[in-house]
Amino acid sequence: MPDLDRQTDALAVFDPATYEQGPPLDALRRMRAEAAVTWVEEPALHGLPEGPGFWLVLRHAEVERVLRDPATFSSWLGATQIRDAQDLGWVRRMMLNMDPPDHSRLRRMLSRSFTPRAVAALTAGIEAAAAGLVDRMIGGASEGRCDFAKDVAADLPLLTLADVLGVPAEDRWLTYDWSNRVIGWQDPDYAVSAAFDGTGGTAMARRALQLRPQPDADGRMPDPRTRAGMPDLYAYARLLAEEKRRTPGTDVMSILLAQSGADGQVSDAEFENMFWLFAVAGNETLRNGLPGGLIALLQHPDQLAALRADPALLPGAVDEMLRWWTPVMVFRRTATTNVELSGTQVRAGDKVVVSFTSANRDERVFGDPDRFDVRRSPNPHLSFGHGPHFCLGAQLARAQMRALFAELLRRTRTLELDGEAVFLRSNFQRGVKRLPVRWTAVGAPDVPGRGTD
């Protein structure tokens, strides 16, 4: 590939604005065909300064290698976002940005909080919540329209997280705003998200709202990837921890706070950072995986028809949705030593960014990778990561997707796009801001000229 073409592709991959039209899959394919690892510059863009550049890892095997070797490719050294963290000292205290043994200790404690009883209760709640959301969408009508991303998909992970965190359901839209601000910090619509105004919320929520940052004279918010940029989230986490210690429940966070033993107890700071991780990371993958999965089905009506004809395909279809859409597109590591990665000499201190989007389309692993196939098997996608940081909530995310799509397909006879989807400006999260759809309910009369999907 000529240098100019390579630079053009690399800029498209790096520029968050590219993703408003969808990820640059053709550019990733060309780069992946040429090399497993390639250098990407970080030019000044959208008001942000120039960065030092990074190695982009494009193929499945090399992505797995990086993720399973934290001793060589550290989460802690430079944290896990492409852009260098402004508050690295604080960011390093988050479990997401830790290496073993600190990461191992917190992960063990968190894993013990997901007791069989807690998971069973969460699964039952997920199925009930999914049924309620589709009930609300249909509302007894024979046909209708909605914004699937906002009106349906956004609420299911919020309801589930409320159960996981022990957050009162009336406060759950705080999580929506926090996620928007953190994940959508590159997007002018999401960076100032303030959908929750405290009406109907708890006293904890109203106290936290008093600390919500406001845009400055230029319309900019403080960096939400720092502690100072999210004072409302951390205030709410402190208040919630105090409440859980006074009156513990059966939720995961109550169980976590009550633990003691060889791994010690969870400190206030550790709890606050775990709350951040669940409230943001635990929300976004699913919130975008659900509308992304629906887009996949609507763009492939033969696969939607196959799923309607055989609902037993749904578990495999969910994993194919996650592969094909890939909600979290990249994560960063930092080399701790000079190392060779697929013939590329990486120096100690270099950024190493794994592309899940590219790995999930790697022709060496997935036959006809751009095809969406609900029967694809095996499907070793990396949408939940790999190695020590494999997503703890993977099974809950799958359960939520299965529950919502099962209910949606059971209750509707047709589903169609009702306009253009609107995507997030972000090179990190493949976000869906709006997804207008129209539907007809099961039992509705046929509409001339309209098929079953």
Side-chain angles (χ1 to χ4, degrees), residues 85-340:
Q86 292 186 15
D87 191 1
L88 185 58
W90 179 259
V91 168
R92 281 173 167 170
R93 298 167 69 179
M94 293 184 179
M95 191 171 74
L96 184 69
N97 302 317
M98 289 180 176
D99 295 329
D102 294 332
H103 172 264
S104 306
R105 168 184 165 266
L106 289 179
R107 188 175 176 99
R108 280 194 302 270
M109 296 183 76
L110 198 51
S111 297
R112 287 196 293 265
S113 301
F114 283 90
T115 63
R117 179 182 176 188
V119 171
L122 289 169
T123 302
I126 286 166
E127 292 171 353
L133 289 172
V134 177
D135 273 341
R136 187 177 73 188
M137 171 184 137
I138 292 175
S142 60
E143 62 179 26
R145 291 173 161 85
C146 71
D147 177 350
F148 183 80
K150 177 70 184 293
D151 300 338
V152 183
D155 214 2
L156 183 58
L158 296 182
L159 288 164
T160 302
L161 277 172
D163 285 344
V164 170
L165 298 170
V167 169
E170 59 267 35
D171 292 351
R172 69 187 185 277
W173 284 91
L174 273 171
T175 306
Y176 176 83
D177 288 328
W178 293 331
S179 294
N180 280 356
R181 284 161 47 198
V182 173
I183 300 299
W185 67 275
Q186 297 167 314
D187 188 296
D189 290 340
Y190 272 25
V192 295
S193 183
F196 183 79
D197 64 2
T199 304
T202 65
M204 286 191 301
R206 290 190 292 275
R207 287 177 64 183
L209 276 182
Q210 293 175 9
L211 299 175
R212 175 187 279 166
Q214 299 299 316
D216 62 19
D218 297 323
R220 290 188 177 277
M221 294 280 280
D223 189 339
R225 298 165 299 159
T226 66
R227 182 177 175 83
M230 298 294 291
D232 46 339
L233 181 151
Y234 286 108
Y236 190 93
R238 284 194 302 276
L239 293 168
L240 183 68
E242 291 169 7
E243 178 64 23
K244 295 297 175 191
R245 286 189 170 112
R246 281 195 302 268
T247 55
T250 59
D251 55 90
V252 170
M253 291 293 104
S254 290
I255 297 169
L256 178 67
L257 285 166
Q259 285 188 39
S260 61
D263 289 321
Q265 293 182 309
V266 174
S267 70
D268 289 344
E270 287 171 340
F271 177 82
E272 290 169 14
N273 281 331
M274 283 193 187
F275 182 87
W276 184 100
L277 182 63
F278 271 80
V280 176
N283 180 34
E284 281 303 307
T285 297
L286 185 65
R287 173 182 161 191
N288 293 308
L290 287 167
L294 184 56
I295 289 170
L297 291 173
L298 296 181
Q299 290 183 358
H300 301 83
D302 61 321
Q303 299 301 299
L304 176 53
L307 199 53
R308 285 195 186 279
D310 185 3
L313 294 172
L314 188 54
V318 163
D319 274 301
E320 178 68 344
M321 292 172 190
L322 289 163
R323 182 198 72 86
W324 191 85
W325 188 257
T326 310
V328 177
M329 295 184 288
V330 294
F331 258 123
R332 168 193 171 175
R333 299 292 188 260
T334 304
T336 62
T337 186
N338 295 341
V339 62
E340 182 179 304

Side-chain angles (χ1 to χ4, degrees), residues 389-405:
H389 282 275
F390 183 82
C391 178
L392 268 172
Q395 292 309 315
L396 283 180
R398 288 185 172 106
Q400 290 175 80
M401 292 185 73
R402 288 195 301 267
L404 187 60
F405 280 107

